[in-house]
Amino acid sequence: GKNSFSNGSCGREQKLNSDLRRKTFQIRSERVSESTKKRREEMDDFLDKLPQMDLMRSEKMTLVQLIIPVESAHRSVTYLGELGLLQFRDLNADKSPFQRTFATQVKRCGEMSRKLRFFKDQIDKAGLRCLQRHELEPNIELGDLERQLADHEHEVLEMNSNSEKLRQTYNELLEFKIVLQKASGFLVSSNAHAIGDETELHESTYSNNGFIESSSLLEQEMRPEPLNQSGLRFISGIINKDKLLRFERMLFRATRGNMLFNQTPSDEEIMDPSTSEMVEKNVFVVFFSGEQARTKILKICEAFGANCYPVPEDITKQRQLTREVLSRLSDLEATLDAGSRHRNNALNAVGYSLTKWMTTVRREKAVYDTLNMLNFDVTKKCLVGEGWCPTFAKTQIHEVLQRATSDSNSQVGVIFHVMHAVESPPTYFRTNKLTNAFQEIIDAYGVARYQEANPAVYSVVTYPFLFAKLGSFMEMLFGGRYVILLMALFSIYCGLIYNEFFSVPFHIFGGSAYKCRDTTCSDAYTAGLVKYRDPYPFGVDPSWRGSRSELPYLNSLKMKMSILLGIAQMNLGLILSFFNARFFGSSLDIRYQFIPQMIFLNSLFGYLSLLIIIKWCTGSQADLYHVMIYMFLSPTEELGENELFWGQHSVITFGIHCCSMDAFSKTFCTQENSHGGRTYGLLGTSEVDLDVEPDSARSHQEEEFNFSEIFVHQLIHSIEFVLGSVSNTASYLRLWALSLAHSELSTVFYEKVLLLAWGYENILIRLIGVVVFAFATAFILLMMETLSAFLHALRLHWVEFMGKFFHGDGYKFKPFSFTLISDDDE
């Protein structure tokens, strides 16, 4: 009984313990699940807050239609311009700019833009600065701004006209004064008399006190009078210095030598009254006889742009005339200074608001240009527009349109609905400061097709990497500082693994010692430069430097590394073509284009890359040139000591078979599918499958299947791929060639210039060597070599990499945005 009781109690205890353990485990599980759920929610919230930036494929676009009442049209388009996420379609492309609804408003904005540019030019010519007021200025209506600009323009033009007339008069008087001073010396009969008159005239230039004359000599008609009873006359004036020689020759020929020509420099630059330019001039006096000669001389002076001024022969009249000219010059200077100050004050008043006015007019013109792209329904008093927008922006656009309706107090809201599209949408990538520069590099070749794989994602890494392999540590002048930064970082990395040369691959996997058995290493071992020791930890072993095998070893290494990098990047391009075909749902491109191309490329050049790696790992002395050549000439021949693995000779046959399958299989499969009810377009020309209705315009564009056309096109494509694979692989050898050239140039400049000059004790030779080395480093290694590396890296991306998957026949998304308006759009 006791045993049964004890057994029963034990059973109950075990049951209670198991229930307790089960409840404890359940509570713990609930706590763990709650904490896990909480962490997941926090992670989801964190991911939701991250900015959306999917550069792999362009943003999904939606074609929308807007029906906008007239009273809210201007405000709606203005708000959409501030948002900058809608690209309007021009529904009035068949109309000229003068036939559109808002042509008058556009013309008014254009006229105001012209006036604002005029003010900016005037401010720049005056040497003033457009200073903005710190206080907030109220927004000005377009009509009020138009009236203000008209008033300011009229005022500035009037001041310019008056100033120009005064300046021309001042320049003429200045020339007249110089002619009076210089020409008087030619009108005296003796040197002594000439010196006395010149001194007296010079004194009268600074003293005109006590001189009173009832009538002004400047208002009288001055004509030269005969110097003696024989009728000798003269004409005085001033002419540009560069025309003086031709002017004298023409006078001599016209008068047949019957004249006396005297000239002297003016000793200062004078502003020409006709051109308003500072030029050097010479004063001249021509003595002649006869009225006919006078007429000829005056015509020649007019033809050469010489300004003639009457100089009286009488000394007293010269003094009187000189004092009157000086008085007039003084008055004109004061008048010009006052006018200049008044004009600068007027321009400063305009300059305070010039920037804001230019922005306002530019935005208004852009709004009316956009409104002209909409259809105007007269009966319903509304504007109908269509445009593309990113799918994620539909909510924002709808909110903006609702706000525009509310602010304009319109009784009818804007109708916003999605349309079905027939044509391909524009391409739009959301970039940041880092990726924008690389996206511009890709767009320079061609804009990606809608939803096509974007090469810029991979170019962020591959472009600076290939640049670093080609070039040196150098910052290039390009459009983005982040491109320069990444290029510099990758160049530093390559410099570290180069050890002044190029990166060396692994010699052994997991071993503690190695022995190089490559033929390129034999000389180094014979010379005792390389011995049995642990692998060199990082980069190229410095023991190669200076040995006889240095150049052959590095040549072989760089050439093989170039092939490996090229095959890797071309395979990446083919993989992206697979993702393109999968995204667009083209199973034919996957089965009969991607797979054969992938097999062909890797059965030939991928096979070569495998041989290179196996040779590096095993230290084999197989001749890879012999292996690749006899793969084509004699694929069934035994390789002997050049055989690295079993079945090498059958790889190329399989690759050629796959290439032929690329040409024929897809053609016949296309024909079979076309009889099933669906046709396929030519390779590379198919558009994105959009959801269109059966009776839409898309259904009427289908063409009948043409077997010969498809076959020939696909055959050409296959041949192009085969030949392109060879040429593209060879093109990557530029990595080897340019890297070798850069390395050798660096060695030559360092050893043959700097070290050679530093070996002399003469300080002058050392200084010359440093200067030559610095010049060669800066202009040849840094500028020329970097530019060469940039262009070659660009070509490897555009042709060898992007040619495998990138069509680049799309068009960029250009939304209506005020931030994208430039000065050229005015």
Side-chain angles (χ1 to χ4, degrees):
K2 291 181 179 180
N3 292 334
S4 60
F5 178 77
S6 61
N7 291 334
S9 61
C10 289
R12 285 192 298 272
E13 289 179 0
Q14 292 177 356
K15 184 176 181 181
L16 290 174
N17 291 334
S18 62
D19 293 340
L20 182 61
R21 286 195 300 270
R22 186 168 57 253
K23 291 181 179 179
T24 304
F25 178 76
Q26 184 177 0
I27 293 173
R28 290 178 178 176
S29 300
E30 290 177 355
R31 291 178 179 177
V32 172
S33 61
E34 289 178 359
S35 61
T36 304
K37 184 178 180 181
K38 184 177 181 180
R39 285 197 299 269
R40 288 179 179 177
E41 291 178 353
E42 292 177 353
M43 181 61 66
D44 292 339
D45 294 338
F46 174 76
L47 294 176
D48 292 338
K49 293 179 181 179
L50 289 177
Q52 298 181 0
M53 186 189 66
D54 185 12
L55 281 177
M56 182 61 188
R57 301 193 184 277
S58 60
E59 295 289 340
K60 292 183 179 180
M61 307 298 292
T62 304
L63 182 63
V64 298
Q65 185 181 52
L66 306 177
I67 301 177
I68 312 174
V70 175
E71 60 271 13
S72 61
H74 184 276
R75 194 178 297 271
S76 298
V77 174
T78 302
Y79 289 176
L80 290 174
E82 294 174 352
L83 181 63
L85 289 175
L86 181 63
Q87 176 179 336
F88 286 93
R89 298 172 62 186
D90 191 359
L91 304 181
N92 300 314
D94 55 336
K95 296 181 180 179
S96 65
F98 305 101
Q99 295 176 338
R100 305 202 178 195
T101 306
F102 300 93
T104 304
Q105 288 81 351
V106 172
K107 184 178 179 180
R108 290 173 56 194
C109 293
E111 182 65 19
M112 286 189 287
S113 298
R114 182 197 62 79
K115 294 176 182 178
L116 290 171
R117 289 194 299 269
F118 167 74
F119 292 137
K120 190 174 186 302
D121 293 339
Q122 294 296 313
I123 291 174
D124 294 338
K125 288 181 180 179
L128 304 176
R129 297 178 59 186
C130 297
L131 300 176
Q132 298 182 8
R133 290 193 177 98
H134 295 287
E135 63 270 13
L136 296 177
E137 298 181 4
N139 294 327
I140 185 172
E141 295 293 336
L142 197 62
D144 297 337
L145 178 59
E146 187 176 15
R147 287 188 293 272
Q148 289 188 22
L149 292 179
D151 296 338
H152 286 301
E153 184 187 28
H154 178 72
E155 182 183 6
V156 173
L157 287 176
E158 186 176 1
M159 288 188 294
N160 288 344
S161 178
N162 296 333
S163 176
E164 184 178 356
K165 293 178 181 178
L166 292 175
R167 177 62 62 180
Q168 186 174 3
T169 304
Y170 178 83
N171 293 333
E172 291 176 354
L173 289 173
L174 184 61
E175 287 186 348
F176 197 4
K177 184 195 75 170
I178 295 175
V179 170
L180 286 172
Q181 292 176 350
K182 298 293 184 178
S184 61
F186 303 124
L187 303 179
V188 295
S189 58
S190 64
N191 293 334
H193 192 191
I195 295 174
D197 289 342
E198 185 176 354
T199 305
E200 196 170 8
L201 178 62
H202 181 71
E203 292 175 355
S204 67
T205 302
Y206 301 97
S207 175
N208 58 356
N209 297 329
F211 180 82
I212 301 175
E213 183 71 20
S214 58
S215 63
S216 174
L217 289 178
L218 292 177
E219 297 175 357
Q220 301 176 3
E221 183 179 0
M222 298 294 298
R223 294 183 181 180
E225 298 182 358
L227 295 177
N228 48 37
Q229 299 297 327
S230 60
L232 185 63
R233 302 183 180 185
F234 71 92
I235 293 177
S236 58
I238 192 168
I239 190 173
N240 290 354
K241 184 178 180 179
D242 55 352
K243 299 179 181 179
L244 183 64
L245 183 59
R246 292 183 286 116
F247 177 65
E248 183 179 0
R249 290 178 180 177
M250 184 61 68
L251 289 175
F252 183 83
R253 294 174 182 176
T255 60
R256 297 182 181 181
N258 297 320
M259 64 93 185
L260 180 62
F261 185 83
N262 293 300
Q263 59 86 20
T264 182
S266 61
D267 298 334
E268 62 177 316
E269 289 188 348
I270 307 172
M271 181 178 291
D272 192 289
S274 58
T275 61
S276 299
E277 295 180 357
M278 301 299 294
V279 293
E280 294 183 1
K281 291 192 174 186
N282 282 37
V283 177
F284 67 90
V285 177
V286 183
F287 296 92
F288 61 94
S289 178
E291 186 65 26
Q292 187 176 4
R294 178 179 180 274
T295 304
K296 291 181 179 180
I297 293 173
L298 289 177
K299 289 183 178 180
I300 294 174
C301 290
E302 182 181 359
F304 278 84
N307 300 321
C308 298
Y309 297 96
V311 178
E313 184 181 356
D314 188 9
I315 299 299
T316 304
K317 291 183 178 180
Q318 288 182 9
R319 294 173 183 173
Q320 179 185 353
L321 192 59
T322 302
R323 292 180 179 182
E324 190 171 348
V325 168
L326 291 175
S327 177
R328 292 284 300 274
L329 284 174
S330 178
D331 294 340
L332 283 175
E333 286 180 358
T335 305
L336 286 173
D337 291 340
S340 178
R341 288 193 298 270
H342 180 62
R343 179 174 175 272
N344 290 342
N345 292 334
L347 292 176
N348 281 327
V350 174
Y352 286 132
S353 304
L354 184 63
T355 303
K356 182 178 181 180
W357 289 350
M358 294 181 70
T359 303
T360 302
V361 173
R362 191 183 299 121
R363 291 178 55 163
E364 289 295 323
K365 185 176 182 298
V367 169
Y368 286 116
D369 284 335
T370 304
L371 288 173
N372 279 331
M373 301 171 67
L374 279 60
N375 280 333
F376 181 64
D377 193 337
V378 181
T379 58
K380 298 180 181 179
K381 295 183 179 181
C382 64
L383 294 170
V384 180
E386 297 178 3
W388 293 99
C389 71
T391 303
F392 69 85
K394 290 191 296 184
T395 304
Q396 303 177 44
I397 294 175
H398 187 67
E399 294 175 354
V400 162
L401 294 176
Q402 287 182 343
R403 182 162 59 90
T405 302
S406 176
D407 294 345
S408 58
N409 297 323
S410 177
Q411 301 296 327
V412 181
V414 180
I415 300 176
F416 174 80
H417 65 90
V418 179
M419 299 176 62
H420 293 291
V422 176
E423 67 275 11
S424 179
T427 302
Y428 173 52
F429 295 102
R430 283 187 286 178
T431 58
N432 55 21
K433 295 180 180 179
L434 173 64
T435 59
N436 182 66
F438 293 97
Q439 189 65 55
E440 292 296 329
I441 293 176
I442 301 302
D443 292 343
Y445 175 79
V447 180
R449 181 182 293 182
Y450 177 66
Q451 293 281 285
E452 187 179 28
N454 185 18
V457 180
Y458 309 94
S459 299
V460 174
V461 177
T462 59
Y463 189 86
F465 181 75
L466 291 185
F467 171 86
K469 292 294 181 186
L470 286 168
S472 59
F473 176 60
M474 163 67 180
E475 291 187 354
M476 278 195 61
L477 296 178
F478 193 68
R481 59 185 181 274
Y482 294 103
V483 177
I484 298 174
L485 175 63
L486 290 178
M487 286 178 177
L489 293 177
F490 275 96
S491 297
I492 293 174
Y493 165 75
C494 291
L496 290 175
I497 64 176
Y498 284 172
N499 284 338
E500 300 177 342
F501 290 107
F502 200 80
S503 59
V504 70
F506 45 83
H507 288 282
I508 194 170
F509 288 114
S512 60
Y514 75 96
K515 177 181 179 181
C516 180
R517 295 189 295 272
D518 200 337
T519 56
T520 58
C521 304
S522 59
D523 293 338
Y525 282 109
T526 304
L529 296 174
V530 180
K531 300 179 180 179
Y532 292 94
R533 58 187 176 89
D534 292 337
Y536 192 74
F538 194 75
V540 175
D541 196 329
S543 300
W544 289 105
R545 183 173 180 82
S547 66
R548 291 186 303 168
S549 301
E550 175 188 356
L551 189 59
Y553 170 73
L554 293 177
N555 269 336
S556 175
L557 179 63
K558 293 177 181 180
M559 181 180 64
K560 293 172 183 176
M561 287 293 292
S562 300
I563 294 175
L564 293 178
L565 291 174
I567 297 303
Q569 192 173 28
M570 288 192 291
N571 273 285
L572 176 61
L574 290 178
I575 292 173
L576 292 178
S577 69
F578 163 76
F579 285 107
N580 271 340
R582 182 181 178 185
F583 181 83
F584 295 125
S586 178
S587 59
L588 287 179
D589 289 339
I590 296 177
R591 288 179 293 176
Y592 301 109
Q593 179 172 305
F594 164 73
I595 295 178
Q597 289 179 355
M598 197 73 177
I599 296 176
F600 172 77
L601 179 65
N602 289 282
S603 62
L604 183 60
F605 300 105
Y607 166 66
L608 175 61
S609 302
L610 180 62
L611 293 182
I612 292 173
I613 295 176
I614 293 176
K615 183 177 180 180
W616 279 347
C617 294
T618 61
S620 173
Q621 297 184 3
D623 188 359
L624 300 185
Y625 296 103
H626 181 275
V627 174
M628 297 305 298
I629 291 174
Y630 281 90
M631 178 176 289
F632 294 95
L633 298 180
S634 178
T636 59
E637 181 182 353
E638 295 295 333
L639 297 176
E641 61 180 6
N642 293 324
E643 184 174 2
L644 295 176
F645 61 92
W646 179 83
Q648 291 181 223
H649 55 273
S650 60
V651 177
I652 186 62
T653 305
F654 182 65
I656 295 175
H657 171 71
C658 293
C659 182
S660 61
M661 182 176 66
D662 178 27
F664 293 96
S665 301
K666 185 175 180 179
T667 305
F668 287 105
C669 188
T670 303
Q671 182 187 21
E672 181 181 355
N673 284 328
S674 66
H675 292 303
R678 180 180 178 182
T679 61
Y680 289 83
L682 296 180
L683 179 66
T685 60
S686 59
E687 298 290 342
V688 182
D689 291 334
L690 300 174
D691 297 332
V692 296
E693 297 180 2
D695 57 347
S696 63
R698 181 72 175 269
S699 62
H700 298 289
Q701 296 177 356
E702 296 181 352
E703 300 177 357
E704 296 182 357
F705 178 80
N706 191 333
F707 175 79
S708 61
E709 183 180 358
I710 299 295
F711 175 75
V712 171
H713 182 85
Q714 189 63 24
L715 181 62
I716 294 174
H717 184 270
S718 301
I719 297 175
E720 181 183 5
F721 176 79
V722 174
L723 299 179
S725 298
V726 179
S727 64
N728 292 347
T729 305
S731 184
Y732 277 95
L733 294 178
R734 67 185 68 237
L735 295 170
W736 157 48
L738 294 177
S739 177
L740 179 64
H742 179 78
S743 176
E744 293 302 316
L745 282 175
S746 303
T747 303
V748 168
F749 291 142
Y750 178 69
E751 295 181 352
K752 303 302 181 183
V753 177
L754 185 61
L755 294 184
L756 184 62
W758 209 256
Y760 292 89
E761 297 296 334
N762 193 335
I763 187 64
L764 181 60
I765 297 178
R766 289 185 175 184
L767 181 61
I768 294 175
V770 170
V771 172
V772 173
F773 177 76
F775 178 83
T777 302
F779 290 95
I780 297 179
L781 294 181
L782 294 184
M783 293 183 63
M784 296 179 59
E785 288 283 321
T786 302
L787 179 61
S788 175
F790 171 80
L791 295 177
H792 285 289
L794 194 65
R795 180 247 156 78
L796 290 176
H797 277 77
W798 281 359
V799 179
E800 279 71 24
F801 172 57
M802 293 163 52
K804 300 293 185 296
F805 66 96
F806 187 71
H807 292 90
D809 55 356
Y811 62 100
K812 187 177 292 187
F813 175 63
K814 296 180 180 179
F816 171 60
S817 175
F818 292 142
T819 58
L820 301 179
I821 300 176
S822 61
D823 295 338
D824 297 335
D825 297 331
E826 295 183 5

